[in-house]
Amino acid sequence: MVGCSRGSLPTWMTAAAARVDLSGGVTPSHQGSSSPSPSSSGPAPSAGADQELGMFERALSAAGAAFVSAIIVNPLDVAKTRLQAQAAGVLYHQPAQMAALGPDAILSEFRCSPSCTRGLVLGSEPVCPPDCFQYKGTLDVFLKVVRQEGFVRLWRGTNAGLALAVPTVGIYLPCYDIFRNWIEDFTRSNAPGLTPYAPLVAGSVARSLACIACSPIELARTRMQAYKEFRPGVKPPGMWKTLVGVISPLASSSQNVQNYRVLWTGVGAQLARDVPFSAICWSTLEPMRRKLLGLVGEEGNAASVLGANFAAGFVAGSLAAGATCPLDVAKTRRQIEKDTEKAMRMTTRQTLTEIWRSGGMKGLFTGVGPRVARAGPSVGIVISFYEVVKYALHQRNTS
């Protein structure tokens, strides 16, 4: 790292923060030195703390980070999914109820939200016109969901989000750490010029494993957030009922084992979204985090670790989320498709073409605002929490 010696970095720092020089070589052992350290062919000294942590400790750190993040940013996830589902044709009002509004309906001052036009009185009950149920933006989604469905509906799908986030990140971050360390050690000895690409490759492979393993839960969460329960007093279906509802139309088929493929509907679009997301995120995050932590040096504590990782994660997550938004729109559209046979025949390319024809560039970037607003804090929270817990575990082990 230019202008910062390896010795000036905290000894507990994760290997990613000290081991790779994005200029293409190994980190010099002394400030201003252009030659590799004599020990550069082996594990870097600063990597020891990171490699001492086992898979369980890494998974525990990651699961805790995912738990916190999933709860905080879930309302933004609901807003993004609702906007994308609406663009795909999902209705958030009951057509039968709207058709019942006749010429005798009386205008009232009833409003469902500040952006709603005047409602109608049908009998003695105030009823909103269809345009009241059209979402016009992120804040509009928040206002209308709270007004029409209740405040807690902003956390719709949180149980599926937690069920998804804990195993996903529990697989993703530990595997990323391990793969990155392996790739860095191998390239340091055999191809130093490829060492800067270790975060990109490790992040892509780790994310692919996590996506494939947890795709059914992602399917359930997307459907739970996209669809609205119209019947008063009826609790919307949870994660398991949602998954059962996906499989039910195919239950009578003789190919029962093959039919379970429907639970992985949209996994291709999810991989097409998450692998580039991970590659962009990690290749942006690592050099930024390394520079911030290099400024801290040995005086660093848990607060400085948290701040550096959150800042780097926030910027990297926001950039990656914006760049991959069209693939996120395609994933949502495939997973909310209620025609099971059509959903299984659809491809990511066909879906993107359909979105482009119907909505153009605006359609491809539907929900980009809440997606970016969600991803920045989410990545920042996950990364900073993960590294702080690793730091605390390492401090406990050394003491």
Side-chain angles (χ1 to χ4, degrees):
M1 185 166 18
V2 180
C4 179
S5 68
R6 181 181 299 182
S8 68
L9 295 171
T11 56
W12 43 262
M13 190 183 302
T14 180
R19 299 178 66 188
V20 189
D21 177 6
L22 284 190
S23 62
V26 294
T27 308
S29 58
H30 300 287
Q31 187 169 352
S33 173
S34 59
S35 61
S37 168
S39 61
S40 61
S41 60
S46 59
D50 187 59
Q51 293 178 335
E52 286 174 7
L53 292 176
M55 185 69 175
F56 174 76
E57 283 135 329
R58 295 176 195 270
L60 179 64
S61 303
F67 186 89
V68 173
S69 174
I71 293 174
I72 293 175
V73 302
N74 196 80
L76 287 165
D77 210 31
V78 171
K80 178 209 65 146
T81 304
R82 289 284 178 100
L83 289 170
Q84 292 177 351
Q86 178 179 262
V90 174
L91 297 177
Y92 291 104
H93 65 273
Q94 291 178 292
Q97 184 187 51
M98 295 302 120
L101 298 178
D104 296 331
I106 304 170
L107 290 173
S108 74
E109 293 301 320
F110 174 76
R111 287 174 170 80
C112 285
S113 72
S115 63
C116 179
T117 58
R118 285 191 302 170
L120 301 172
V121 174
L122 184 62
S124 60
E125 295 295 326
V127 179
C128 285
D131 61 332
C132 178
F133 299 91
Q134 292 292 316
Y135 300 128
K136 300 176 178 65
T138 305
L139 292 177
D140 197 42
V141 174
F142 291 159
L143 290 170
K144 288 178 178 176
V145 168
V146 170
R147 176 64 183 83
Q148 296 165 6
E149 302 173 56
F151 184 74
V152 295
R153 285 292 180 263
L154 290 175
W155 276 265
R156 173 76 173 140
T158 301
N159 57 345
L162 293 174
L164 172 70
V166 173
T168 298
V169 182
I171 295 169
Y172 179 35
L173 289 182
C175 287
Y176 169 75
D177 265 355
I178 292 168
F179 292 158
R180 183 203 59 222
N181 290 342
W182 286 347
I183 294 169
E184 286 177 3
D185 288 340
F186 178 80
T187 56
R188 192 181 302 280
S189 303
N190 300 281
L194 298 178
T195 303
Y197 302 100
L200 187 149
V201 176
S204 299
V205 175
R207 190 66 188 176
S208 298
L209 294 175
C211 283
I212 293 170
C214 301
S215 184
I217 307 176
E218 172 69 19
L219 172 67
R221 182 180 68 163
T222 302
R223 291 202 169 203
M224 290 170 69
Q225 292 176 341
Y227 292 111
K228 175 181 176 181
E229 178 58 62
F230 293 107
R231 294 169 296 176
V234 176
K235 185 178 179 182
M239 182 177 67
W240 295 114
K241 284 188 177 181
T242 301
L243 290 175
V244 169
V246 173
I247 300 174
S248 294
L250 301 173
S252 59
S253 175
S254 58
Q255 297 180 329
N256 289 329
V257 176
Q258 290 292 326
N259 291 336
Y260 282 102
R261 289 184 301 130
V262 74
L263 294 177
W264 276 263
T265 298
V267 69
Q270 189 178 350
L271 285 170
R273 177 199 67 175
D274 285 359
V275 172
F277 178 95
S278 188
I280 295 168
C281 183
W282 287 111
S283 57
T284 305
L285 185 149
E286 292 288 12
M288 189 181 304
R289 174 168 66 175
R290 217 169 27 253
K291 288 180 181 179
L292 291 173
L293 289 171
L295 295 174
V296 174
E298 286 293 344
E299 287 72 29
N301 53 23
S304 60
V305 181
L306 188 147
N309 280 281
F310 181 84
F314 186 95
V315 174
S318 299
L319 291 174
T324 57
C325 186
L327 294 161
D328 184 61
V329 176
K331 179 202 77 80
T332 300
R333 186 161 295 196
R334 290 191 64 189
Q335 291 187 330
I336 64 174
E337 176 58 57
K338 286 195 169 183
D339 185 340
T340 306
E341 293 184 0
K342 180 182 177 182
M344 294 178 72
R345 289 196 308 268
M346 291 169 69
T347 66
T348 303
R349 183 177 177 179
Q350 290 171 346
T351 306
L352 287 171
T353 302
E354 180 184 317
I355 295 168
W356 171 260
R357 287 174 179 170
S358 62
M361 189 64 70
K362 183 179 179 181
L364 290 173
F365 284 88
T366 301
V368 66
R371 174 166 166 76
V372 170
R374 173 196 180 279
S378 179
V379 174
I381 291 168
V382 168
I383 296 299
S384 55
F385 191 94
Y386 178 61
E387 293 297 335
V388 167
V389 173
K390 280 171 58 180
Y391 167 67
L393 291 172
H394 174 65
Q395 293 293 92
R396 187 197 65 182
N397 291 340
T398 55
S399 63

